[in-house]
Amino acid sequence: TLRYEVCNAQTCMPPTNVELPVSFTVQPGAARPEFIKAAGVSPNPPGSATQGPSDDVSKEIRAAQEAGLLPFMLVAFLAGLASLLTPCVFPMIPITVSYFSKQKGDNDKLSFGGPIAYCLGIIGTFTFLGVLVGSTGLDKIATNWYVNAILAALFIFLAASLFGVFELRLPGWLVNKAAAGSRSGGLAGAVLMGLTFTMTSFTCTVPFVGTLLGTSAQQGLKYSILGMLSYSTAFALPFFLLALFPSFLTKLPRSGAWLVTVKAFMGFLELMAALKFLSNVDLHFRFEALTRNVFLAVWAATAAVGALYLLGWLRLPHDSDTKVGWIRRGFGAAMAVLAFFCLAGMNGTRLGEFAAFLPPDPYPGHGNKEWIDSYEEALARAKETHQNIFIDFTGVYCTNCRDIEENVFPKPAVHDLLQKFVRAKLFTDDGSPEDNANQKLQVQMSGVTSLPLYAVVSPDGKVLKIHQQQAPIEDADQFLSAIRPFTGAVVASR
């Protein structure tokens, strides 16, 4: 059995197994000279492999990845700003700024060196974490059930920390050693001071950092590095600006019990994120415990409890008496709206791009009256009806697949077009014998294993069109223009 994986500069295709039959006869005698050293001949010289039709697949994949990177970096940047509103970080802002203010001396001139060095210490520490996690190759095993189980446990663990059940701290000797170096003065001291601050704020920043690294690791090294770079830049930026202009410090709100509320609110978001990874584990084993409606129900319940907490109707053990202001009530109302939004989704309301993160509906293996789950059955149906086959090569873990299936296929023009085909939905990504067979069929037809991918096949099994379209998309014109020419009755070949 040969297990291989194909990568380019942007992405890696899923690992694939190929059975290579080898037969030989062993005869007695000395080794023949021509076989003492391997000949080194490649069994498949470059250019010899055949590939099915495609719409510049690699170009589309690269374009889609580039389109998805900026939104991810924006989320990471916003997470960095949110980290500032935690009890470990916010009170340190005036202390840090006052330190650099004293370094100006009597001339009161702006000094860029110290604040820049301090921020580089923060950015360098977080970005190093991104390099470390991104280079471990977690993206290659991100669809494995045990990786998703570990990530789900990590998110629940971090949520418990945000709720105040326990505190996460780095070893004291590590923090003390960095702090000793920061007292050396100069630019090197400022860099080490930034490193020390990163370590001492670990208790509050690790839920944000762990969440970003847990999700970016599935996308590869580039996402891990740029995600941490965006996060740490947003985290360090206020320190830099306030160190240059300390007069703005008086306009900042005072630290207090409201920071504990922010931490707890983030804990509810961590629990909701953990459910996505638990869903992947459920899909792998086909437990059917987290179907679409159950998933939405758990999210609705979590959002509802979060709303009750933010509105002051529910308190955590470590909470102190604090006034429920309008900002807190606004976030509480938003969580209540999210809860009703999830409940509406359970009753059939379309959820837009949000639906891409939900489990497939119907649950894999339960079938769909409009889609056939077997290529052989679809081929037999096509021969009877003299229609072409439209194949949706999809995956149980594929977010882009869900996005198109939930937001493009139901559009009236697309739905009407698909009715003119025999429709088959073939899962390819969970490693089961059926999915492996479907993936092998996809490779035979298209030469690629990336998802989502759509194929139009004639009743006699001839591939007429391969179309690969990455989500999200605003309209269905691209899809319609690619598939429409292959509709209509097909005259059986003689």
Side-chain angles (χ1 to χ4, degrees):
T1 301
L2 172 65
R3 184 172 178 82
Y4 70 93
E5 182 175 26
V6 181
C7 302
N8 60 19
Q10 287 79 29
T11 187
C12 289
M13 300 302 181
T16 304
N17 290 341
V18 176
E19 298 293 335
L20 298 178
V22 178
S23 61
F24 57 91
T25 302
V26 180
Q27 295 181 344
R32 288 176 287 178
E34 63 267 32
F35 292 113
I36 292 178
K37 185 177 180 180
V41 178
S42 172
N44 292 303
S48 63
T50 59
Q51 179 171 319
S54 67
D55 297 333
D56 297 326
V57 171
S58 59
K59 181 179 178 180
E60 289 187 16
I61 294 175
R62 287 194 295 269
Q65 287 177 331
E66 292 301 324
L69 184 59
L70 288 179
F72 172 76
M73 292 177 64
L74 176 61
V75 170
F77 188 87
L78 294 176
L81 296 178
S83 299
L84 296 169
L85 303 178
T86 55
C88 313
V89 179
F90 193 82
M92 290 297 296
I93 295 178
I95 298 174
T96 304
V97 172
S98 63
Y99 169 82
F100 287 112
S101 298
K102 295 176 183 179
Q103 304 301 313
K104 292 182 179 181
D106 298 331
N107 55 12
D108 199 32
K109 291 183 178 179
L110 291 177
S111 175
F112 289 89
I116 289 177
Y118 179 78
C119 293
L120 287 177
I122 295 175
I123 295 172
T125 304
F126 284 121
T127 305
F128 173 74
L129 283 176
V131 173
L132 186 64
V133 172
S135 60
T136 58
L138 288 179
D139 56 304
K140 297 177 179 59
I141 57 175
T143 58
N144 287 343
W145 70 268
Y146 49 83
V147 175
N148 283 278
I150 291 173
L151 289 174
L154 174 64
F155 279 38
I156 295 172
F157 180 78
L158 296 176
S161 173
L162 288 170
F163 289 142
V165 178
F166 52 82
E167 286 192 355
L168 298 174
R169 298 182 183 275
L170 287 174
W173 64 267
L174 186 61
V175 177
N176 294 336
K177 191 169 184 178
S182 67
R183 291 192 288 267
S184 61
L187 296 181
V191 171
L192 288 173
M193 185 177 173
L195 172 62
T196 303
F197 174 64
T198 304
M199 292 181 175
T200 55
S201 63
F202 181 78
T203 299
C204 292
T205 59
V206 66
F208 299 93
V209 174
T211 301
L212 286 171
L213 289 178
T215 52
S216 63
Q218 301 187 44
Q219 302 295 330
L221 180 61
K222 179 172 68 173
Y223 274 73
S224 296
I225 294 176
L226 294 180
M228 282 295 95
L229 190 61
S230 301
Y231 172 87
S232 57
T233 299
F235 187 80
L237 186 61
F239 291 95
F240 175 74
L241 295 177
L242 290 172
L244 294 180
F245 308 103
S247 61
F248 287 99
L249 201 61
T250 58
K251 300 181 180 180
L252 290 178
R254 295 178 180 272
S255 60
W258 65 275
L259 292 173
V260 179
T261 303
V262 172
K263 277 186 63 178
F265 171 63
M266 296 300 174
F268 289 107
L269 299 183
E270 291 279 337
L271 287 178
M272 296 175 77
L275 191 65
K276 170 62 179 172
F277 296 102
L278 285 176
S279 173
N280 289 343
V281 177
D282 179 79
L283 287 169
H284 175 81
F285 289 104
R286 299 292 197 269
F287 289 143
E288 301 186 27
L290 283 175
T291 60
R292 176 190 172 96
N293 279 353
V294 173
F295 189 104
L296 287 171
V298 175
W299 265 30
T302 306
V305 174
L308 294 176
Y309 172 77
L310 291 173
L311 294 173
W313 299 342
L314 180 69
R315 294 183 59 182
L316 296 176
H318 298 286
D319 284 353
S320 58
D321 292 330
T322 182
K323 182 180 179 181
V324 179
W326 288 106
I327 295 179
R328 179 170 171 174
R329 290 176 184 173
F331 278 97
M335 290 291 279
V337 170
L338 177 59
F340 282 111
F341 181 71
C342 293
L343 292 175
M346 295 174 61
N347 291 322
T349 301
R350 295 210 169 273
L351 303 178
E353 294 185 4
F354 174 75
F357 298 94
L358 301 177
D361 186 38
Y363 199 89
H366 281 225
N368 187 317
K369 62 181 181 180
E370 292 191 357
W371 295 83
I372 300 172
D373 59 5
S374 166
Y375 175 65
E376 290 74 17
E377 184 180 343
L379 202 60
R381 181 82 58 83
K383 291 178 180 178
E384 293 176 1
T385 60
H386 304 295
Q387 290 176 302
N388 288 329
I389 308 169
F390 175 84
I391 303 177
D392 173 17
F393 287 105
T394 186
V396 294
Y397 309 113
C398 177
T399 301
N400 283 348
C401 301
R402 289 297 86 67
D403 196 349
I404 293 179
E405 291 164 0
E406 294 285 342
N407 299 312
V408 177
F409 287 1
K411 289 181 179 292
V414 177
H415 180 269
D416 293 343
L417 180 70
L418 292 179
Q419 298 302 310
K420 301 176 182 179
F421 293 90
V422 173
R423 298 170 300 285
K425 180 174 294 189
L426 306 180
F427 290 93
T428 67
D429 66 344
D430 80 344
S432 66
E434 295 80 9
D435 280 32
N436 288 340
N438 291 336
Q439 187 182 78
K440 184 177 180 180
L441 175 66
Q442 178 184 341
V443 173
Q444 290 174 347
M445 290 184 175
S446 67
V448 298
T449 57
S450 59
L451 298 173
L453 184 133
Y454 310 102
V456 177
V457 181
S458 67
D460 58 1
K462 180 181 179 182
V463 178
L464 304 176
K465 179 68 176 179
I466 293 293
H467 179 67
Q468 191 162 29
Q469 181 164 331
Q470 297 291 329
I473 59 174
E474 296 299 328
D475 57 62
D477 291 344
Q478 182 185 357
F479 184 87
L480 290 170
S481 61
I483 305 301
R484 186 180 284 117
F486 303 95
T487 59
V490 178
V491 179
S493 57
R494 297 182 182 274

